[in-house]
Amino acid sequence: MRRIVLLAVGFSLAGSGAVSAEWSAAGELSGSRSSMTHQNAVAKENDFSFLRTSAEVTRMVTEGRLVWVQGNEDYTLSNVSHPYARPILKTFVERLGAQYRDACGQRMVVTSLTRPTSEQPRNASPLSVHPAGMAVDLRVPASQKCRSWLEDALLSMERNALLDVTREKRPPHYHVAVFPEQYGAYAVAQIKAEAEERKAELASIVSLPPVVIQLGAAEEGPSAWSSGPGMLASLLFAISALAGGVAVLIRTHERAQPSPAASPAGTQNRRRITDV
């Protein structure tokens, strides 16, 4: 089973715009107009375009400003009209999806990503950042255990000013707006910590003392290889040890593979993104 390192990291908001006193009391799922105002302000600070039509979404994908969010073994998409988002939002979805699956044993469900203003639902806020590609809607899990885990994880990141989350009722979902600079720095710190953990695990395996297998005494001569219960037991032990070693190497290799969240997207988003 994969292990995800969760860090309680605080980040300064200096240089990312002033935060209102009302919004800074974040940590609830009810949402507010001030939180929507802040989300909208963050999008504008990052020079994100608010897309109006499907054609504009397509153009942004062609230019590489939006990337395909296709789903994987950790999360799936349900009725998503435009499965594209800012690169940092894809990093967020993939990392949260992996953590969610480890905690709940099921895939997280994404119900909306980028939505142009012409396709916003009637009850959408005019300040919504879905048209800017920096918001994702997540289905509310049916399981109380999974629901509690997901809400705790989202609220923890909200308290660290990495995102803003609201639980909507019509239809039931979590609206999550991810703040690019703050979450980008957080993701880089997590990825670095996970790499150090893998390095420590590999070092501990390499430092294990070698297993010495004695198949037979040298003085017994070649005939010791061809007969006797002692020979059979030694041979079976050797095969078992070899199989175990191969299994360890396979697991080590799997853990050492870079996760989707460690893609350049998480690092690239430390830079300011500008639409033209």
Side-chain angles (χ1 to χ4, degrees):
M1 180 179 291
R2 294 164 302 179
R3 288 189 292 171
I4 305 295
V5 178
L6 298 177
L7 304 178
V9 181
F11 292 94
S12 169
L13 295 179
S16 60
V19 180
S20 69
E22 184 179 355
W23 183 85
S24 63
E28 300 180 358
L29 292 168
S30 56
S32 66
R33 182 174 179 80
S34 66
S35 67
M36 296 300 296
T37 300
H38 179 70
Q39 295 172 28
N40 190 274
V42 170
K44 291 177 179 177
E45 288 167 7
N46 284 271
D47 294 322
F48 287 167
S49 296
F50 286 76
L51 308 179
R52 296 167 296 177
T53 65
S54 294
E56 290 186 358
V57 173
T58 301
R59 176 177 62 82
M60 293 285 282
V61 173
T62 301
E63 294 175 355
R65 301 180 190 277
L66 295 178
V67 295
W68 182 29
V69 183
Q70 68 269 41
N72 58 27
E73 63 180 4
D74 300 319
Y75 73 98
T76 186
L77 277 63
S78 177
N79 298 320
V80 176
S81 57
H82 299 284
Y84 309 105
R86 299 284 173 177
I88 191 62
L89 185 63
K90 179 178 181 179
T91 297
F92 165 79
V93 169
E94 293 187 340
R95 290 187 62 79
L96 183 65
Q99 296 163 9
Y100 179 87
R101 184 167 176 249
D102 278 346
C104 298
Q106 57 186 241
R107 292 197 291 178
M108 185 176 73
V109 180
V110 173
T111 59
S112 185
L113 289 161
T114 300
R115 282 198 311 258
T117 55
S118 61
E119 298 180 21
Q120 287 280 72
R122 290 184 178 181
N123 63 340
S125 168
L127 297 171
S128 172
V129 292
H130 276 287
M134 59 174 274
V136 58
D137 290 345
L138 304 175
R139 178 177 293 171
V140 178
S143 162
Q144 175 62 48
K145 171 189 172 183
C146 297
R147 189 162 60 248
S148 296
W149 184 92
L150 184 56
E151 291 182 359
D152 288 346
L154 292 171
L155 287 173
S156 175
M157 286 186 279
E158 183 178 74
R159 284 190 289 269
N160 279 299
L162 309 178
L163 53 78
D164 188 34
V165 55
T166 302
R167 181 169 175 174
E168 304 284 357
K169 296 181 179 179
R170 296 188 303 273
H173 67 274
Y174 300 106
H175 166 80
V176 185
V178 175
F179 304 145
E181 293 184 9
Q182 287 75 26
Y183 182 77
Y186 173 76
V188 168
Q190 281 199 313
I191 292 168
K192 182 178 179 180
E194 290 161 12
E196 290 298 323
E197 183 184 35
R198 293 191 190 101
K199 181 178 178 181
E201 289 177 348
L202 289 172
S204 66
I205 292 173
V206 171
S207 64
L208 290 175
V211 177
V212 178
I213 302 172
Q214 184 175 352
L215 296 179
E219 61 271 19
E220 293 179 355
S223 60
W225 288 88
S226 59
S227 63
M231 166 56 201
L232 179 60
S234 296
L235 183 59
L236 290 175
F237 180 79
I239 294 173
S240 175
L242 179 60
V246 170
V248 168
L249 288 175
I250 292 175
R251 288 195 298 272
T252 301
H253 175 72
E254 291 175 344
R255 285 199 299 268
Q257 296 301 307
S259 66
S263 67
T267 302
Q268 290 173 352
N269 281 278
R270 287 179 289 175
R271 300 194 299 268
R272 194 178 185 84
I273 303 174
T274 303
D275 295 338
V276 292

